[in-house]
Amino acid sequence: MKNRVIMFWAIVAIVLFSISVLFSKPTKFGLDLVGGSRLELQAQKTATIANITPEMMDSLTFAIKKRVNAIGVAETHVQRVGTDRLLVEIPNVSDLDQAKKMIGETAELEFKKKISKPGEKEVWGPTGLTGKDLTSASVGSSQTGQWVVDLVFNASGTKKFADLTRAMVGEQMAIFFNGEMQSAPVIQEPILEGRAQISGGGENGGFSAQQAKEMVDLLNAGALPVPATIIQENTVGPTLGSDSIQKSEVAGIIGLGLVMLFMLCYYRVPGIVADIALCIYGIILFALFKMIGVTLTLAGIAGFILSVGMAVDANILIFERTKEELRAGRTLYTAITAGFDRAFTSIFDSNMTTIITCAILYWKGTDIVKGFALTLALGVMISMFSAITVTKNFMLLIFGTKTLTKPWLFGLKQEEIGTAYQATESKKENAKFGVLD
């Protein structure tokens, strides 16, 4: 009894925490539900890129996704169109210009040395050290309070930078970003630890906080494998339309209400417990969606609704097993415990096959399919917790120490229980006197 009370308060604590998450974190919706922006990009040939290959387009797709995610836009849908174009759909974007800049702008970082002679016009030549040699970039501040960009090189970059600074003591090393010189500090001594800093000095003056952040985001996202130009852009509304969304919400509420009503009418008091567990399931699941940043699309909502059905199905298996145990003449506590234990294998097997399927869909599917697979898998896992832990704990807490005197509360008739109970008692009496059936 003590363990059940502890578990009850643990469930209450989880629910209260989940409710706080629901009110404190925003819900992310996909393009099909809230609208957003659609951009079409075309890969460009250059002097060194004669043909756009499928491998280049795959790399470009990955780079675009990484860049958009760097500015906090999740559930971006990127798909190839033809041989050299990408369609990028960004949900609920408030700053389209910023997104366009992040998607289309290059991120070429170069360290150069002066190759012109004294008195000539300045000419800078390559050193072989570029942004490809970086591990990470971050926003920092200098001793004078200016915003700077701190760079950390990888192993190869650290060696290159050490060799360069060792050979260029007393000389300038210029830092160019997208062809524009940011600073040209004089190397005072060899730098061996693999770190550098862009101060934004020179002709451009110091960085603003926004400029430093934009540079960091671009550097961390990496350079585009091929140049890409935005050839078309437009803002789109929700594909379902606000009226359709509202009707879908009403339909969902009606459907869930009918399911809960069925559980109440058919299973009586256990049905009430199942309905409470179903509400707890919904609260915990939506809180989990918000905590891990799941973006809800129409496909994702479909996965959630399907998981609700599986959660109800688990309760039905448990209650039917419990009713069988009661018909067999078991006590209320034993029937509830046995019902859960015997239904667990079926529930676990069916849910595990679903989770395995979701894993395959997430691994091989498109972005839309991945959203469906993720919400369904999370829903199935939480539904197991709801059915096995929440429902069982509540049932035992309410009925664990009581005797079944009103079978109709469990959706059973008196004669069903009575016959089985009398037969059981008769066997016990016969056993006492050595009478065989």
Side-chain angles (χ1 to χ4, degrees):
M1 183 66 180
K2 181 180 179 181
N3 291 336
R4 292 199 293 271
V5 173
I6 293 174
M7 179 60 69
F8 170 79
W9 286 112
I11 294 171
V12 171
I14 293 173
V15 172
L16 292 177
F17 174 76
S18 300
I19 292 174
S20 68
V21 171
L22 292 178
F23 284 99
S24 61
K25 290 184 176 291
T27 302
K28 296 181 179 179
F29 294 101
L31 187 73
D32 56 347
L33 297 179
V34 296
S37 302
R38 181 181 288 121
L39 306 173
E40 188 171 350
L41 286 74
Q42 186 174 35
Q44 303 295 312
K45 298 178 182 179
T46 65
T48 58
I49 301 176
N51 295 302
I52 305 298
T53 64
E55 291 75 18
M56 290 180 181
M57 293 303 296
D58 289 340
S59 298
L60 181 62
T61 301
F62 176 79
I64 292 297
K65 286 184 178 180
K66 190 174 181 181
R67 286 186 169 209
V68 176
N69 289 334
I71 59 174
V73 181
E75 199 69 18
T76 300
H77 178 58
V78 182
Q79 71 177 55
R80 288 172 54 180
V81 179
T83 59
D84 62 350
R85 295 186 181 186
L86 289 180
L87 182 64
V88 183
E89 294 181 335
I90 310 173
N92 205 21
V93 174
S94 58
D95 190 352
L96 181 58
D97 291 336
Q98 173 69 5
K100 287 165 52 182
K101 184 177 180 181
M102 287 294 299
I103 290 174
E105 189 174 344
T106 57
E108 297 178 359
L109 181 70
E110 296 178 282
F111 292 78
K112 297 185 177 183
K113 60 183 178 181
K114 189 178 293 186
I115 59 175
S116 58
K117 296 180 181 179
E120 297 178 352
K121 185 180 178 180
E122 287 186 342
V123 178
W124 300 88
T127 62
L129 185 64
T130 68
K132 294 181 180 179
D133 297 304
L134 290 180
T135 295
S136 64
S138 60
V139 178
S141 59
S142 66
Q143 294 180 348
T144 59
Q146 286 186 318
W147 293 106
V148 297
V149 174
D150 293 317
L151 307 176
V152 178
F153 294 102
N154 56 28
S156 174
T158 298
K159 185 179 184 305
K160 289 180 184 179
F161 194 52
D163 292 342
L164 285 171
T165 55
R166 189 181 291 115
M168 294 177 62
V169 172
E171 300 178 28
Q172 282 182 298
M173 178 183 287
I175 303 174
F176 284 77
F177 183 72
N178 290 342
E180 186 174 348
M181 187 171 70
Q182 302 297 319
S183 58
V186 176
I187 305 300
Q188 302 293 338
E189 59 184 9
I191 303 174
L192 308 178
E193 66 272 15
R195 293 178 178 271
Q197 191 175 85
I198 307 175
S199 61
E203 299 177 358
N204 299 321
F207 289 130
S208 67
Q210 183 63 26
Q211 287 174 329
K213 182 181 183 304
E214 289 177 6
M215 182 179 290
V216 165
D217 289 340
L218 285 171
L219 289 173
N220 286 330
L224 295 179
V226 294
T229 302
I230 298 174
I231 60 175
Q232 186 178 359
E233 61 180 87
N234 61 296
T235 303
V236 296
T239 55
L240 295 179
S242 57
D243 183 58
S244 298
I245 294 175
Q246 185 177 8
K247 289 180 180 179
S248 299
E249 291 176 350
V250 173
I253 292 173
I254 293 175
L256 184 60
L258 290 175
V259 169
M260 296 178 73
L261 182 62
F262 166 78
M263 295 296 291
L264 174 62
C265 294
Y266 193 81
Y267 292 105
R268 312 296 168 81
V269 176
I272 296 176
V273 175
D275 290 345
I276 294 173
L278 197 60
C279 292
I280 293 174
Y281 156 81
I283 292 172
I284 295 175
L285 183 58
F286 265 105
L288 183 61
F289 285 169
K290 291 192 174 188
M291 287 176 62
I292 65 177
V294 173
T295 301
L296 288 178
T297 61
L298 184 61
I301 293 176
F304 165 72
I305 293 174
L306 184 57
S307 68
V308 171
M310 298 189 71
V312 173
D313 182 58
N315 282 291
I316 289 175
L317 286 174
I318 291 168
F319 294 156
E320 287 297 332
R321 279 288 190 177
T322 301
K323 288 168 70 173
E324 289 177 5
E325 300 299 326
L326 289 172
R327 290 190 184 101
R330 294 185 183 274
T331 64
L332 192 52
Y333 176 85
T334 305
I336 293 173
T337 304
F340 276 88
D341 291 343
R342 293 185 177 182
F344 175 78
T345 302
S346 299
I347 295 171
F348 181 80
D349 290 346
S350 64
N351 286 344
M352 283 306 300
T353 55
T354 302
I355 291 173
I356 292 172
T357 303
C358 290
I360 296 172
L361 289 175
Y362 192 86
W363 177 36
K364 291 292 187 180
T366 61
D367 291 341
I368 296 176
V369 175
K370 285 182 178 180
F372 169 80
L374 178 62
T375 54
L376 178 57
L378 291 175
V380 167
M381 288 186 284
I382 299 299
S383 72
M384 288 185 65
F385 170 79
S386 170
I388 303 300
T389 303
V390 177
T391 305
K392 182 178 181 179
N393 186 76
F394 284 9
M395 288 282 288
L396 291 177
L397 201 60
I398 297 172
F399 303 110
T401 58
K402 296 182 179 180
T403 303
L404 181 62
T405 57
K406 298 178 180 179
W408 64 270
L409 292 177
F410 278 73
L412 293 170
K413 297 179 180 179
Q414 182 67 49
E415 54 268 25
E416 292 182 272
I417 297 297
T419 302
Y421 180 76
Q422 290 173 6
T424 302
E425 292 299 312
S426 176
K427 289 182 179 180
K428 290 181 180 178
E429 291 296 322
N430 291 338
K432 287 182 181 180
F433 297 100
V435 179
L436 300 177
D437 292 335

